[in-house]
Amino acid sequence: MGNRGEGVPASLPLAPPATSPAARVPAAPRLLDVASARRPTRPSIWRAILRQRLALTGACIVLFFVVLAAVGPFVAPNDPTSLVGVPLQGPNAEYWLGTDEIGRDVFSRLLHGARVSFQVGLVAVGIAGTVGTALGLVAGYRGGWVDNVLILLMDIIFAFPAVLLAIAIITFRGNNLLNAMIAIAVVFTPAFMRIVRGATLSVRQTQYIEAAVSIGTPLPRILARHVFPNITAPLIVQVSLVFAFAVLAEAALAYLGLGNKPPAPSWGSMVSGSYGSLRLAPWASVIPGAAIGLTVLGFNLLGDGLRDALDPRLRSAH
Amino acid sequence: MLTFILRRLALLVPVLLGVSILTFALVKQIPGDPVSQMIGVDQRTTPEQVAAIRRSYGLDQPLPIQYVRWLGHVAQGDLGQSIRSRRPVTDELRLRLPVTVELTLLAALFATVPALVVGTLAAVRRNSALDYGATIATLIGISLPNFFLATLLVLLFSLRLEWLPPLGYVEFTRDPIQNLQRMVLPALSLSLPLAAVLMRNTRSAVLEVLSQEYVRVARAKGLEGRSVLWRHVLPNAALPIATVAGIQVAALLGGTVIIEQIFSLPGIGRYIFDAIANRDYPVVQGVTLVVAAIFVLVTLVVDILYAVLDPRLRTAR
């Protein structure tokens, strides 16, 4: 922050490093404290501890998932697409999670599937986050007709149920993993735009923005250097939550045979592929299904915990 | 009030137009030549024939004209016909929409009742064991994919316990009991995430009202907890809860694709599922457009009802 030059008052409120998010919204927590002091509620120490513990659990699950996605394909004992053993074996010493309906190793497929889920989540959230943030910054800062047009665009995409729009996009654009990523990105771009727009609206009112404008800072620089650093808290939370939905969406699409094409493994397609032999080999669908649920839960827990930690204004709402 | 409704109605037009443009634009995403993709042109078709087909579909016209023409057809209820069955998409939707609507409403019923009860209790007994339990349950609820839940339910009920007839569909008018028996599991699978969202929403709506001055006044004048809750808190929390519920239920309409396929229900989800495999473009396009339009209309009704029912908004607007 020192490089902003001396005598520029705008740099002062911009100073808080990422480690003290509370400093970014100095007014709000104090107001809440007054309100809660008057309200006869018990101190929520237990809730705070539980929330932290949940957030920590979420972080561990996410970390585990990331490691799995990174090294899984290298440590997988078998090829995920080749028929390695007798079909429908239960979990045993050789095939830890059993074999599926045509004799592929469920464990190896699970490891490879983790990478697909992670890849899709990463690319989709990356695209949606970048585009949504840019649009949200512009909409929130410029206001007026630009804002109206962008809100309209957002409302239009929101009108489509997420998975249905993704299905439609993939059906028409062609069924492959890239189009699945694009489809999921399109669906979730408004989620980022809405959050960033809202945060930008409140940052725009502050004096340091006024100061930056008054010394003639160009618009892109204001957005990048003054607005963006102050809206990262809600953005980080949103990244975690949308990642959860993206993994869920990829699983749903894969279940329908969209995206990563069989026989290449994807958690969603593993559930649907082995559904027919549910009675004989429940593990082959239940285990990948549980993997999806656990991963999504991890991102949701992390996102929720981050929201509590980074956004004191929302603390009372929980 | 009237100006609010009129303004809200005026907002409807650009959104619906946008929805239609986006749906129309889907066709333009088809890689390669749409004629050969859509009509299944084979080797024997001469370029002249392709050109004739192109002309007959109006594909030789500029895009805006194509769009206006298509919109004209849509406005008259003509969504084209299925490439596979050659049946008009509109006819098929008319048959299938009631199945999906029944499924959605049943899921809404399953979700709403526990969500309201648990959400209210969690707010009233904030920071109790029940509240923590509800928080965790909510997070699990929004994290489990509905097809995984459906798989577990099928595994538990129809295979292990052999309780319910697992698959198929019987019309409600023909045999209500059989109809409901077959609807229970799919509706349950759909209801969990909805219940989670609604419970979280109920909890924060009730908490919000609990922090209001008038609740403190009611307590201060000596009303006991229960009547404060029933007379002052719940009526005021009801509206925001109902708004979210309405919109969430409408959103569910498009989320039944996998569930209908698993339980062999002939709704619009199953329709689109079959269409994906056959690349039946008009079907995917038609279902997408109709579901989005329904969602937009339901949101409109919910918004207007909110304004009508909330006296504060009535005077403010």
Side-chain angles (χ1 to χ4, degrees), chain A residues 44 46-47 51 156 159-161 164 167 171-173 255-256 275 279 286 289-290 297 300-301 304 316 318, chain B residues 18 22 26 29-31 126-127 131-132 135 139 143 147-148 154 159 200 203 258 262 272-273 281 295:
Chain A
S44 56
W46 293 112
R47 188 160 197 98
R51 290 227 142 239
I156 290 167
F160 296 91
L164 189 59
I167 288 173
T171 312
F172 281 89
R173 285 188 59 89
Y255 189 99
L256 294 167
Y275 183 81
R279 188 193 290 266
V286 171
L297 181 66
N300 275 325
L301 286 173
D304 240 42
S316 69
H318 282 284
Chain B
L22 191 60
L26 282 173
Q29 299 284 318
I30 301 174
R126 197 179 176 189
N127 299 325
D131 189 15
Y132 300 143
T135 301
L139 285 166
S143 300
F147 56 84
F148 178 53
V154 168
L159 295 183
R200 183 181 262 201
R203 181 177 176 274
I258 297 179
I262 291 181
I272 210 169
F273 178 85
Y281 298 118
F295 180 79

Side-chain angles (χ1 to χ4, degrees), chain B residues 50-290:
Chain B
V50 172
I53 296 171
R54 191 185 295 275
R55 248 195 320 280
S56 73
Y57 276 81
L59 290 171
D60 54 340
Q61 302 280 332
L63 277 184
I65 296 193
Q66 284 185 39
Y67 167 69
V68 171
R69 268 194 192 178
W70 174 77
L71 196 63
H73 286 296
V74 170
Q76 293 166 31
D78 175 13
L79 293 166
Q81 52 173 241
S82 156
I83 293 176
R84 188 154 160 259
S85 70
R86 299 279 166 203
R87 278 172 54 81
V89 174
T90 316
D91 291 1
E92 198 77 20
L93 277 177
R94 206 167 285 146
L95 283 175
R96 288 167 178 269
L97 205 53
V99 181
T100 305
V101 170
E102 188 196 339
L103 179 62
T104 308
L105 290 180
L106 209 59
L109 188 72
F110 288 160
T112 313
V113 177
L116 290 181
V117 175
V118 180
T120 307
L121 282 176
V124 172
R125 302 197 192 139
R126 197 179 176 189
N127 299 325
S128 67
L130 178 110
D131 189 15
Y132 300 143
T135 301
I136 297 173
T138 304
L139 285 166
I140 294 176
I142 58 170
S143 300
L144 292 184
N146 57 19
F147 56 84
F148 178 53
L149 207 64
T151 308
L152 291 182
L153 285 175
V154 168
L155 198 61
L156 179 69
F157 283 97
S158 33
L159 295 183
R160 293 265 187 266
L161 303 173
E162 299 187 347
W163 271 1
L164 297 166
L167 298 174
Y169 176 71
V170 175
E171 275 172 51
F172 187 78
T173 46
R174 226 179 65 203
D175 188 344
I177 308 276
Q178 287 230 6
N179 167 284
L180 287 178
Q181 273 182 334
R182 281 149 208 252
M183 282 286 188
V184 168
L185 286 188
L188 267 181
S189 329
L190 275 179
S191 68
L192 187 75
L194 183 66
V197 173
L198 292 184
M199 190 171 76
R200 183 181 262 201
N201 188 253
T202 303
R203 181 177 176 274
S204 47
V206 172
L207 273 181
E208 172 76 32
V209 176
L210 279 175
S211 70
Q212 298 292 318
E213 294 278 345
Y214 54 79
V215 172
R216 201 171 308 127
V217 170
R219 285 216 182 98
K221 73 179 184 185
L223 275 185
E224 59 167 328
R226 189 166 299 180
S227 50
V228 172
L229 187 67
W230 285 104
R231 295 277 302 278
H232 297 277
V233 176
L234 291 184
N236 286 298
L239 212 46
I241 296 171
T243 311
V244 171
I247 292 170
Q248 289 290 336
V249 171
L252 213 59
L253 265 186
T256 60
V257 183
I258 297 179
I259 295 300
E260 286 183 11
Q261 191 268 329
I262 291 181
F263 292 99
S264 303
L265 295 174
I268 55 169
R270 177 70 201 227
Y271 192 34
I272 210 169
F273 178 85
D274 293 336
I276 294 169
N278 301 307
R279 290 211 279 176
D280 203 335
Y281 298 118
V283 173
V284 176
Q285 191 184 30
V287 175
T288 309
L289 181 66
V290 168

Side-chain angles (χ1 to χ4, degrees), chain A residues 161-245:
Chain A
V163 171
L164 189 59
L165 182 58
I167 288 173
I169 293 174
I170 300 174
T171 312
F172 281 89
R173 285 188 59 89
N175 182 7
N176 56 51
L177 199 57
L178 178 69
N179 282 336
M181 292 168 177
I182 293 174
I184 295 172
V186 169
V187 168
F188 289 113
T189 300
F192 281 104
M193 192 192 136
R194 182 166 58 176
I195 290 288
V196 171
R197 179 182 171 273
T200 306
L201 276 177
S202 61
V203 169
R204 193 180 63 169
Q205 313 291 333
T206 53
Q207 285 190 330
Y208 57 84
I209 298 295
E210 204 181 322
V213 174
S214 70
I215 59 165
T217 317
L219 179 66
R221 191 177 165 85
I222 290 181
L223 290 182
R225 291 294 299 273
H226 301 273
V227 181
F228 182 73
N230 290 289
I231 60 159
T232 46
L235 191 59
I236 290 169
V237 174
Q238 195 70 357
V239 164
S240 187
L241 296 178
V242 172
F243 209 110
F245 285 120

Side-chain angles (χ1 to χ4, degrees), chain A:
Chain A
M1 292 305 147
N3 63 349
R4 293 270 313 119
E6 64 275 25
V8 182
S11 66
L12 289 175
L14 259 181
T19 43
S20 67
R24 286 181 191 142
V25 270
R30 213 164 292 151
L31 279 175
L32 280 178
D33 284 347
V34 174
S36 56
R38 281 186 293 157
R39 204 185 307 148
T41 38
R42 275 170 290 166
S44 56
I45 298 167
W46 293 112
R47 188 160 197 98
I49 291 175
L50 179 91
R51 290 227 142 239
Q52 271 180 10
R53 201 165 279 176
L54 289 181
L56 203 63
T57 314
C60 290
I61 297 174
V62 168
L63 191 69
F64 181 67
F65 170 67
V66 172
V67 171
L68 211 63
V71 304
F74 301 111
V75 299
N78 290 298
D79 183 80
T81 53
S82 54
L83 316 179
V84 293
V86 181
L88 304 176
Q89 290 179 57
N92 57 49
E94 195 182 352
Y95 308 110
W96 291 1
L97 299 178
T99 56
D100 69 1
E101 68 285 351
I102 56 172
R104 293 173 299 197
D105 180 20
V106 174
F107 181 58
S108 301
R109 288 176 68 72
L110 199 71
L111 289 176
H112 280 268
R115 173 165 290 187
V116 175
S117 289
F118 184 67
Q119 247 181 343
V120 173
L122 202 65
V123 174
V125 170
I127 299 175
T130 312
V131 176
T133 302
L135 294 179
L137 278 172
V138 171
Y141 191 82
R142 289 297 294 270
W145 68 270
V146 178
D147 190 26
N148 286 334
V149 168
L150 288 173
I151 287 185
L152 177 66
L153 279 177
M154 191 168 77
D155 279 347
I156 290 167
I157 294 182
F158 267 137
F160 296 91
V163 171
L164 189 59
L165 182 58
I167 288 173
I169 293 174
I170 300 174
T171 312
F172 281 89
R173 285 188 59 89
N175 182 7
N176 56 51
L177 199 57
L178 178 69
N179 282 336
M181 292 168 177
I182 293 174
I184 295 172
V186 169
V187 168
F188 289 113
T189 300
F192 281 104
M193 192 192 136
R194 182 166 58 176
I195 290 288
V196 171
R197 179 182 171 273
T200 306
L201 276 177
S202 61
V203 169
R204 193 180 63 169
Q205 313 291 333
T206 53
Q207 285 190 330
Y208 57 84
I209 298 295
E210 204 181 322
V213 174
S214 70
I215 59 165
T217 317
L219 179 66
R221 191 177 165 85
I222 290 181
L223 290 182
R225 291 294 299 273
H226 301 273
V227 181
F228 182 73
N230 290 289
I231 60 159
T232 46
L235 191 59
I236 290 169
V237 174
Q238 195 70 357
V239 164
S240 187
L241 296 178
V242 172
F243 209 110
F245 285 120
V247 170
L248 210 51
E250 190 274 333
L253 293 173
Y255 189 99
L256 294 167
L258 296 172
N260 204 22
K261 271 191 222 145
S266 190
W267 288 351
S269 60
M270 287 171 74
V271 179
S272 60
S274 303
Y275 183 81
S277 44
L278 193 59
R279 188 193 290 266
L280 295 169
W283 58 84
S285 348
V286 171
I287 289 171
I292 301 165
L294 194 68
T295 306
V296 176
L297 181 66
F299 280 102
N300 275 325
L301 286 173
L302 182 65
D304 240 42
L306 284 172
R307 172 157 49 201
D308 280 8
L310 296 176
D311 207 340
R313 277 166 301 183
L314 291 169
R315 226 169 251 164
S316 69
H318 282 284

